[in-house]
Amino acid sequence: MTANIFGSSAAPKIGFYPAFIFVAFFSLIPAVATLGLSFTDITGVTGVPINWVGLDNYVRFFSPSQVSETSNALINTLLFAVGVSAIQNVVAFFVAVLLNRQSKFALFTRSVVFLPTVLGVTVVGMLWTLIFNPIGGPAQSFLSLFGLRSSFFGDPNLALLLCIFVQIWMTLGYASLIYTAGLQAIPQELYEAADIDGANVWQRLKNITVPMIAPSITTNVLISIIGSLQSFQLIYVLTGALNDSTSVLSLLLYRVGFGIDPDRGAEQGYASAISIIQFMFVAVIALGSFWFLRRRENQL
């Protein structure tokens, strides 16, 4: 009887329930609660009554009175995500090709490339804030050699580009290691056969390397897209919460939910609606990217 209860068929089920409870408690319940709050006018202030407002928060997000704020956040979010995902994956691939070469310093160089990933968002943000300090920072000192000056993160035309650069620098190591693992899994016999056939570097890259690391490309692109679409911590540290030139959707949610704007208080009901809209926004883009990338994998 004991063997039947704790046999091989029952063991996976026993292990499933704690995991399901964990996910439900920390993911499903907060998600359902957020959805419910998005239909109310809750502010988070003690003693203020909570009223059911239905779809008013969603209508407000797309209303003409909010269009400048929300469209700016959506455009910045897309620019940030596209810039980070495209540049990071191209650079990470070529860095991985260099890291994949046999060298006695290979482990050291991989550790150096991966180091920014483990520093943490706050540390990275403060580091680059000091580097781009417009008053005596290293970047400003370099520009001064050419008689130039810049406010860097205070420049509305430059701030978002610098945030993209710092985000790529911080996450490049993780993407490079994924590509390196994919490159190391490619059988060397394929390259040897290509050399015998007289294939050049471009032909080897196109016909062997890229098709063989297609799963790594899919993984990296999805991670970078989903991460950058939801990112706000680094931007917050670098430029603050009230810089419109770097206001992304997550940062708008934070500003509204905690009442960061001096001219309005906390509006957690409206912030909950923004979070649901962001979830749908990220889900559509992520699922569309996943479908396209998997289709490309099959074609390759």
Side-chain angles (χ1 to χ4, degrees):
M1 184 65 179
T2 303
N4 291 333
I5 296 176
F6 297 100
S8 58
S9 60
K13 296 180 181 179
I14 294 174
F16 169 79
Y17 294 123
F20 176 78
I21 294 173
F22 180 85
V23 172
F25 185 78
F26 290 102
S27 297
L28 293 178
I29 294 177
V32 173
T34 301
L35 179 62
L37 291 175
S38 70
F39 298 111
T40 69
D41 62 354
I42 182 174
T43 63
V45 179
T46 303
V48 176
I50 302 173
N51 301 305
W52 183 267
V53 297
L55 297 175
D56 286 358
N57 288 324
Y58 296 93
V59 173
R60 176 184 173 186
F61 182 86
F62 296 102
S63 66
S65 62
Q66 301 292 325
V67 68
S68 60
E69 181 180 64
T70 56
S71 62
N72 177 64
L74 286 170
I75 292 172
N76 287 339
T77 301
L78 285 174
L79 291 175
F80 185 80
V82 171
V84 170
S85 301
I87 299 173
Q88 175 185 280
N89 280 280
V90 172
V91 175
F93 173 75
F94 286 105
V95 169
V97 172
L98 296 176
L99 294 178
N100 194 43
R101 295 183 177 182
Q102 297 299 324
S103 169
K104 59 182 178 180
F105 300 109
L107 182 60
F108 173 75
T109 53
R110 290 170 189 169
S111 301
V112 171
V113 171
F114 191 74
L115 181 61
T117 304
V118 301
L119 289 179
V121 173
T122 303
V123 175
V124 170
M126 294 303 297
L127 171 65
W128 285 100
T129 299
L130 293 174
I131 292 175
F132 288 112
N133 189 334
I135 305 176
Q140 184 58 64
S141 299
F142 176 76
L143 289 181
S144 299
L145 298 176
F146 304 94
L148 302 174
R149 294 195 63 83
S150 175
S151 56
F152 297 109
F153 292 114
D155 185 345
N157 298 317
L158 192 61
L160 187 62
L161 294 176
L162 290 178
C163 290
I164 291 173
F165 166 76
V166 176
Q167 177 76 14
I168 293 171
W169 181 84
M170 184 179 69
T171 57
L172 182 65
Y174 188 80
S176 298
L177 287 184
I178 292 177
Y179 281 132
T180 302
L183 291 171
Q184 291 179 345
I186 301 176
Q188 291 301 311
E189 293 80 2
L190 296 177
Y191 291 114
E192 294 172 0
D195 289 336
I196 294 174
D197 292 337
N200 57 33
V201 175
W202 169 249
Q203 289 171 331
R204 292 172 57 181
L205 177 66
K206 177 182 178 182
N207 299 315
I208 298 177
T209 305
V210 173
M212 293 298 293
I213 66 167
S216 298
I217 296 174
T218 299
T219 301
N220 264 335
V221 171
L222 286 176
I223 289 175
S224 59
I225 287 176
I226 295 173
S228 55
L229 285 174
Q230 301 179 90
S231 178
F232 89 96
Q233 300 96 324
L234 182 63
I235 297 175
Y236 177 80
V237 175
L238 292 174
T239 66
L242 301 177
N243 191 332
D244 289 336
S245 62
T246 58
S247 178
V248 293
L249 204 54
S250 296
L251 195 55
L252 175 62
L253 190 160
Y254 175 79
R255 287 166 54 182
V256 172
F258 291 93
I260 303 299
D261 291 337
D263 58 342
R264 66 185 183 191
E267 301 175 277
Q268 295 184 1
Y270 181 45
S272 298
I274 296 176
S275 70
I276 298 300
I277 293 171
Q278 182 189 28
F279 169 77
M280 299 301 297
F281 181 68
V282 174
V284 169
I285 294 178
L287 290 174
S289 301
F290 178 74
W291 173 83
F292 174 78
L293 292 169
R294 289 305 299 267
R295 185 181 179 187
R296 289 293 299 171
E297 279 186 39
N298 295 330
Q299 291 176 350
L300 293 173

